[in-house]
Amino acid sequence: MTSVKVASSRTVAFKALCALRKNTTYAQDFLKHFDAFCALLQDEKSFVQHVVCGVISSQSMVDKILAQYVKRFAHQPYKVLICLRMATYELVYRQTAAYAVVSQYVELVRLVDKRGASFVNAVLHRIAAYDQANFARARQHLVRIIQDCHSYDDILRIINAAPISVESQHHLLQSFGFMCESDFLCEACLVSGLPTWIVKRVYHDRGLFICAHMALAAQAHVPFYVCKNPYNPPQIPDTLVPVQSAWGSYTLQGISPALLYNDIEGQRLTISDFAAQCIAACVVHTRPKKLLEIGCGKGTKSLLISYMNKRLSCPAISERVLCDKSSQKLACARKRLSRANITDPIRFVAHDATTLDTYFDAHERFDTVFIDAPCSGSGTMRRHVEAPTTMSEAALDVARPHSLVHTQSELLRAASCLVNVGGFLIYATCSIFSCENEDVVSAFLASDAGKGFACTNFPRAWTQELHASMREAVTQAYDSFSASVVDTNHKVSAAACTPSQVESATACMYSRCGMYLFAPLAHSCDSHFVACLTRIS
């Protein structure tokens, strides 16, 4: 029998996953410094990234699939388990031809554990026979759901409406061919690869349409957006497509961020999801003379605020304070701002922001306080592949004293007394869960600390720029998404779509007074939330 040579990219992906088994480093950071990965060609690197990150993010569902065929699954040798997970991910989520996957991984197992080769061969043939087709059918089912949203206004009405009754939910599910809620959740979990509790919470929080969007986005191409530094402008290549020229926002079309390495390292370009850029623009449009940024982290949004304040010709911020609990992150933020040639007077404060009300002078107030709150990261799971496995449902329990929701509430309470009358308190997360977003804001407004605040409309100029840029972003996303979908029964041509249908196929956000949620979309921005509160007394 002629032996099959295992592709070098699969061997490197296998070695990386073995190394990450006992390494707490994030996968993307690990690969940057993994010698075997760095030696590969660009196409091979892309494959390794997809497989390594895909196996980690979808491990919950991959293991469920394998458990159907493998007795005592957890007791298998770890190298054999990693091979099985990689092969299952390729068969199901990449829909790679079965003959290629089976032959490659049987040979790979033979190199690390000869006794397991025939066993792996049998398991993979069964997955190829059943689960590969099941995934394809489930995906097309979800595609039909988001394509059957006939207008953008309909989606906004559905999302903003009061919760519908159990009976109405059941009828809606039946209209799309689901017998019950669990049938939909099974398909959404299979397509997304996410744990059941996450998908179920998104469904209950956001409804059928947004949950279907999220499931499809979880395994889709992750777009990259960058913001141009006006203090040290780069030469913009033709492959960068403008999304919002006024902000200096671009998307990368068909090129790797690695090709822009020098501009990114030199802070001439800053990588940031477009929804995050929208939030930074919102802060700028409040036109603060005194600005406090809470939870600045490594300074990405701080850079964006500086860029946009200059590009939009807003008044200079005379006093600016960046606060974070981590002194290491603050040092990184300081370094990045310096590298970007931003020389504005900025004070860096390493302090627990839940007690900031006792840190500042009793009379010190700011025109705008921006809270970039710590959160579950449920809106950015496709970029942070470890999130689904490290996220805990217990962390979303407001009754727990150290939960994320409790911390978010404490941040709002502590920040509330630092806002001038007539000033703005802006609260943002990268979560899709309502318990971290609207619920936190509503609870704050109902509390003693929030009595002097009201949810108000966002600055008009920002709203106009937002709608124009999101229209462009979602149109680009729909073109990419429709090109990636092959559905002979329900095919939608991008060229044949009206503008309202383009928007409905990629419902970018919903709005309530003073609140915006950017929904997670395939080939478009991640899910972020922002609320604008004004101190009225």
Side-chain angles (χ1 to χ4, degrees):
M1 182 177 177
T2 305
S3 62
V4 176
K5 184 178 180 181
V6 181
S8 57
S9 54
R10 287 191 174 94
T11 302
V12 171
F14 170 75
K15 290 179 178 178
L17 285 166
C18 287
L20 284 165
R21 181 169 164 264
K22 293 186 176 180
N23 195 315
T24 56
T25 308
Y26 290 136
Q28 295 279 25
D29 294 335
F30 173 82
L31 290 174
K32 288 177 185 177
H33 306 287
F34 189 41
D35 291 341
F37 173 79
C38 296
L40 296 174
L41 299 174
Q42 188 58 46
D43 287 348
E44 294 173 322
K45 287 181 179 178
S46 179
F47 174 86
V48 171
Q49 284 179 317
H50 281 140
V51 171
V52 170
C53 294
V55 168
I56 293 171
S57 66
S58 60
Q59 184 173 320
S60 172
M61 183 52 61
V62 165
D63 285 358
K64 280 186 180 180
I65 292 171
L66 286 169
Q68 298 175 98
Y69 310 112
V70 182
K71 292 181 179 180
R72 295 172 59 83
F73 172 72
H75 295 86
Q76 298 297 322
Y78 81 89
K79 290 185 178 181
V80 173
L81 278 182
I82 289 174
C83 285
L84 282 169
R85 283 171 175 156
M86 290 174 65
T88 303
Y89 176 77
E90 280 205 59
L91 283 170
V92 176
Y93 291 99
R94 290 180 65 88
Q95 293 283 290
T96 308
Y99 72 88
V101 173
V102 174
S103 61
Q104 286 276 293
Y105 284 100
V106 167
E107 185 61 28
L108 183 55
V109 170
R110 187 173 283 117
L111 295 174
V112 299
D113 189 337
K114 289 183 179 180
R115 294 174 297 176
S118 59
F119 157 71
V120 167
N121 180 67
V123 171
L124 295 185
H125 271 104
R126 296 187 72 178
I127 291 172
Y130 299 105
D131 298 281
Q132 196 172 38
N134 287 342
F135 173 86
R137 282 193 294 270
R139 185 175 188 273
Q140 293 299 354
H141 203 169
L142 297 190
V143 166
R144 285 196 287 274
I145 291 175
I146 67 170
Q147 289 177 345
D148 279 343
C149 304
H150 296 298
S151 75
Y152 185 54
D153 289 339
D154 285 343
I155 286 186
L156 292 182
R157 188 183 70 251
I158 289 169
I159 297 173
N160 288 319
I164 62 176
S165 66
V166 174
E167 183 180 359
S168 298
Q169 287 178 334
H170 184 65
H171 286 319
L172 182 61
L173 287 167
Q174 285 188 327
S175 70
F176 287 105
F178 298 103
M179 294 299 295
C180 59
E181 176 184 314
S182 61
D183 286 351
F184 168 74
L185 293 177
C186 284
E187 289 199 358
C189 288
L190 175 60
V191 172
S192 66
L194 297 172
T196 302
W197 77 266
I198 293 178
V199 176
K200 188 173 183 178
R201 184 178 279 266
V202 173
Y203 172 71
H204 287 159
D205 283 358
R206 305 301 178 194
L208 179 69
F209 299 109
I210 293 302
C211 190
H213 272 293
M214 182 212 66
L216 289 165
Q219 297 294 335
H221 163 73
V222 180
F224 281 93
Y225 297 93
V226 294
C227 192
K228 182 180 176 182
N229 179 1
Y231 295 91
N232 187 16
Q235 293 295 321
I236 299 295
D238 294 337
T239 45
L240 291 185
V241 178
V243 180
Q244 175 48 269
S245 300
W247 302 346
S249 301
Y250 296 81
T251 183
L252 279 62
Q253 294 272 337
I255 64 171
S256 167
L259 299 178
L260 301 173
Y261 177 81
N262 291 332
D263 281 333
I264 292 169
E265 282 297 302
Q267 295 301 156
R268 292 182 288 276
L269 288 173
T270 297
I271 291 180
S272 175
D273 183 67
F274 185 64
Q277 295 187 41
C278 291
I279 292 172
C282 176
V283 175
V284 170
H285 272 297
T286 63
R287 296 178 173 264
K289 292 182 179 178
K290 297 179 66 177
L291 171 64
L292 170 61
E293 299 174 42
I294 295 174
C296 68
K298 295 181 180 180
T300 297
K301 287 194 181 75
S302 302
L303 286 165
L304 298 176
I305 289 169
S306 294
Y307 298 167
M308 293 179 188
N309 201 65
K310 182 175 178 65
R311 294 186 70 88
L312 295 171
S313 300
C314 293
I317 302 172
S318 60
E319 184 177 344
R320 190 172 173 189
V321 179
L322 270 60
C323 174
D324 198 276
K325 192 174 182 179
S326 168
S327 56
Q328 289 83 2
K329 288 182 178 179
L330 275 178
C332 180
R334 187 196 299 267
K335 184 178 178 181
R336 292 178 73 192
L337 287 160
S338 174
R339 198 184 301 155
N341 289 343
I342 295 170
T343 57
D344 301 340
I346 298 176
R347 182 160 39 128
F348 296 86
V349 174
H351 193 82
D352 181 355
T354 60
T355 60
L356 270 184
D357 51 335
T358 61
Y359 176 85
F360 288 104
D361 184 271
H363 302 291
E364 189 161 9
R365 297 290 183 272
F366 296 87
D367 301 313
T368 298
V369 175
F370 170 44
I371 303 175
D372 195 3
C375 64
S376 63
S378 56
T380 59
M381 289 183 290
R382 58 183 176 173
R383 295 183 195 275
H384 304 106
V385 296
E386 292 82 6
T389 55
T390 58
M391 200 184 304
S392 165
E393 193 167 13
L396 304 177
D397 184 357
V398 68
R400 296 172 71 96
H402 299 293
S403 69
L404 284 170
V405 177
H406 182 267
T407 300
Q408 292 156 357
S409 300
E410 285 298 294
L411 287 173
L412 277 169
R413 180 200 57 76
S416 63
C417 61
L418 300 173
V419 184
N420 277 323
V421 174
F424 296 92
L425 176 57
I426 297 179
Y427 173 82
T429 73
C430 57
S431 172
I432 192 173
F433 298 143
S434 60
C435 66
E436 299 183 88
N437 298 330
E438 309 97 294
D439 294 354
V440 168
V441 173
S442 298
F444 167 72
L445 291 172
S447 69
D448 290 339
K451 284 181 179 177
F453 288 83
C455 254
T456 56
N457 289 326
F458 287 93
R460 184 174 180 81
W462 177 74
T463 304
Q464 292 172 340
E465 291 170 359
L466 177 72
H467 283 298
S469 54
M470 285 306 299
R471 184 182 301 277
E472 180 65 26
V474 299
T475 300
Q476 293 172 1
Y478 188 79
D479 290 342
S480 298
F481 178 72
S482 60
S484 72
V485 173
V486 179
D487 185 353
T488 56
N489 296 318
H490 199 93
K491 190 172 182 179
V492 173
S493 166
C497 287
T498 65
S500 64
Q501 287 173 321
V502 169
E503 290 184 8
S504 73
T506 51
C508 60
M509 62 186 179
Y510 79 80
S511 62
R512 295 173 182 168
C513 182
M515 299 187 199
Y516 279 117
L517 175 77
F518 299 84
L521 310 176
H523 302 275
S524 187
C525 60
D526 293 330
S527 183
H528 288 67
F529 171 85
V530 60
C532 183
L533 311 179
T534 303
R535 184 162 191 172
I536 55 177
S537 64

